[in-house]
Amino acid sequence: DDNCDGLIDDADPALLSSSASIWYADADGDGFGDPSVAQTACVQPSGAVADASDCDDADNGQGPCTSCMDILASGRSTGDGIYSFDACGTGSSDYWCDMTTDGGGWTVAGWQASSATTSMGIADRGVVGDVSWSVDLACIDYSEIYVKNHSTNQHFQQSYTPSTWSQTSLNITIGTAGNAFRHGTYGPSNSRIVMGCVDYNYSGGINNNWACDSDSQRSAKGHLADYAGEYCTGARLDYTWAWSNGSTCSQRGVAYSWGYAIR
């Protein structure tokens, strides 16, 4: 019954009417369908549902994907790019998934210019995947964070106590001295270039207001700016920035793109 009029007719897709619906296999019976197993029918087939958001149709304990790692684990990764999933149970949104760096599964907070004064990961900004953008990482589970220079493809990552992202404002501190992730600003009020780094330590401690600044003590790896980077060539980075590997700096004042991600 291709046109849903109650009569048998040839299996001709051209005869399908708006009365027909697409149904998705629900092998685990959890009410969420497998988007890769679909059929069109006039009435709901047995074992199928209208929903197409199941992340793993062999696990009735898992519904929709809630992170890039979920998508990777489900075998649905098609490489780096935009994926849509529902992290907070309030509806799907677009995210950029890094499916190649160190095995993939990274949910990216955003990308922005080295001179930018905007933050990432705590609010939506711009178009995902564009030159400068951010997504709110709220509700995403993670145990690792990386900071990445997209111009050189260099990244530094660190592991943390498993948690769910709940950050809402700068300045961000996650972890303890020596492995802390920092994202924020510290510098002249008419500059405020945003920094991001891992492995932060300052005299065996951390200060939430100092972003990645550690005076001349070396350890912070990532994007430094303003009052940070006393050990960089040319001394403190006032009104400029640099990329640090924890002991030396490069690309001081050079335009590059950077960002961070969690998994």
Side-chain angles (χ1 to χ4, degrees):
D1 181 14
D2 294 313
N3 61 4
C4 302
D5 64 356
L7 302 175
I8 296 174
D9 32 54
D10 294 330
D12 182 356
L15 297 175
L16 291 175
S17 75
S18 59
S19 299
S21 300
I22 300 175
W23 305 92
Y24 302 90
D26 182 18
D28 59 8
D30 62 359
F32 302 102
D34 184 343
S36 66
V37 184
Q39 61 178 305
T40 302
C42 300
V43 295
Q44 183 175 0
S46 176
V49 294
D51 178 271
S53 65
D54 206 342
C55 201
D56 185 352
D57 203 32
D59 181 0
N60 62 12
Q62 168 141 29
C65 293
T66 58
S67 70
C68 294
M69 181 56 84
D70 278 354
I71 292 172
L72 182 69
S74 73
R76 295 181 185 167
S77 170
T78 56
D80 296 352
I82 297 174
Y83 294 79
S84 186
F85 54 81
D86 185 358
C88 293
T90 56
S92 293
S93 298
D94 287 343
Y95 296 84
W96 184 274
C97 295
D98 178 346
M99 297 301 196
T100 54
T101 299
D102 191 32
W106 298 94
T107 305
V108 179
W111 304 330
Q112 64 188 32
S114 48
S115 59
T117 59
T118 46
S119 63
M120 293 177 281
I122 59 176
D124 296 334
R125 169 175 55 80
V127 177
V128 174
D130 206 346
V131 175
S132 179
W133 58 277
S134 165
V135 294
D136 188 348
L137 295 174
C139 307
I140 296 177
D141 294 333
Y142 71 95
S143 60
E144 295 177 277
I145 301 175
Y146 79 44
V147 179
K148 186 172 187 177
N149 185 319
H150 288 282
S151 298
T152 63
N153 211 35
Q154 184 179 38
H155 76 284
F156 303 109
Q157 68 192 74
Q158 185 58 265
S159 297
Y160 300 92
T161 301
S163 187
T164 299
W165 190 267
S166 60
Q167 306 295 328
T168 58
S169 61
L170 287 177
N171 287 356
I172 296 171
T173 300
I174 294 172
T176 57
N179 81 337
F181 165 73
R182 312 297 303 276
H183 180 49
T185 63
Y186 182 57
S189 60
N190 59 343
S191 180
R192 297 297 184 182
I193 299 170
V194 172
M195 304 182 230
C197 61
V198 295
D199 291 353
Y200 177 84
N201 177 68
Y202 182 76
S203 298
I206 50 179
N207 185 308
N208 196 51
N209 296 322
W210 296 351
C212 293
D213 175 60
S214 60
D215 288 341
S216 295
Q217 300 177 53
R218 303 166 193 251
S219 69
K221 299 175 182 176
H223 177 63
L224 312 185
D226 281 338
Y227 284 170
E230 280 84 350
Y231 59 85
C232 298
T233 300
R236 201 171 72 177
L237 295 166
D238 293 353
Y239 299 99
T240 188
W241 58 86
W243 184 255
S244 172
N245 64 8
S247 60
T248 60
C249 301
S250 61
Q251 295 184 281
R252 179 172 182 146
V254 174
Y256 58 81
S257 176
W258 73 283
Y260 69 90
I262 63 175
R263 73 171 180 185

